[in-house]
Amino acid sequence: MENIGNGFKINDIEFEGQKYSVDKVVELGLSRLYQNQQSDGGFSYYSSYYAYSDLYLTLRVANTLKLLKDAGYSVSSDSIKNVVGFINTQIVNNINVYNNKDLLILGAYTLSPMSEYGGMSQQVVSRVKALE
């Protein structure tokens, strides 16, 4: 990690009985996350064929992917674009999200720093502006 390695000594991390550098652990973690990204762009808790995307989990993963990308890690831009599409679709089309102001705001907050990956759709922007 740029600048951090110059000021701090970062020890290896033990993961599943083996020691890895921080960069290697991030790489392994990203690989596992990608396995849980579903065809709709969202993320599920399990990587099985029958797993469904969970919006709350997807919002957390979207933030994580963006933060890792901003920190200089190699993160799949396609994965981020797909997750942005999923969040936009859920906000606009899922009645449980559409009628939940808190979830709408959380979704918009998650999408707001992701303009280079599609960001908030105009429909989401309109929905946020219509909040009372």
Side-chain angles (χ1 to χ4, degrees):
M1 295 173 69
E2 190 175 327
N3 296 326
I4 291 179
N6 299 333
F8 298 98
K9 179 177 180 349
I10 301 175
N11 295 325
D12 285 347
I13 297 169
E14 189 169 327
F15 179 67
E16 295 184 341
Q18 294 185 16
K19 291 194 176 199
Y20 298 98
S21 68
V22 171
D23 293 338
K24 187 64 177 174
V25 169
V26 170
E27 182 183 319
L28 290 168
L30 282 170
S31 175
R32 289 188 180 186
L33 278 176
Y34 296 147
Q35 291 173 11
N36 288 19
Q37 190 165 24
Q38 302 301 306
S39 60
D40 61 6
F43 284 85
S44 64
Y45 286 99
Y46 306 102
S47 60
S48 84
Y49 176 76
Y50 300 106
Y52 65 92
S53 296
D54 181 89
L55 181 57
Y56 288 100
L57 173 64
T58 299
L59 292 169
R60 295 281 188 182
V61 172
N63 282 322
T64 300
L65 293 174
K66 178 70 168 107
L67 290 171
L68 287 170
K69 182 89 167 174
D70 290 349
Y73 287 98
S74 177
V75 176
S76 168
S77 293
D78 287 340
S79 180
I80 298 175
K81 287 177 188 172
N82 290 337
V83 79
V84 165
F86 173 80
I87 296 168
N88 275 299
T89 299
Q90 290 298 302
I91 290 173
V92 173
N93 296 328
N94 184 330
I95 193 71
N96 295 322
V97 178
Y98 188 84
N99 289 326
N100 183 326
K101 289 180 183 179
D102 293 335
L103 194 49
L104 173 63
I105 291 168
L106 182 58
Y109 175 81
T110 300
L111 292 171
S112 63
M114 299 195 185
S115 59
E116 66 188 285
Y117 304 102
M120 277 187 274
S121 69
Q122 190 55 49
Q123 292 170 305
V124 171
V125 172
S126 296
R127 182 73 181 107
V128 170
K129 286 181 177 179
L131 288 173
E132 297 177 11

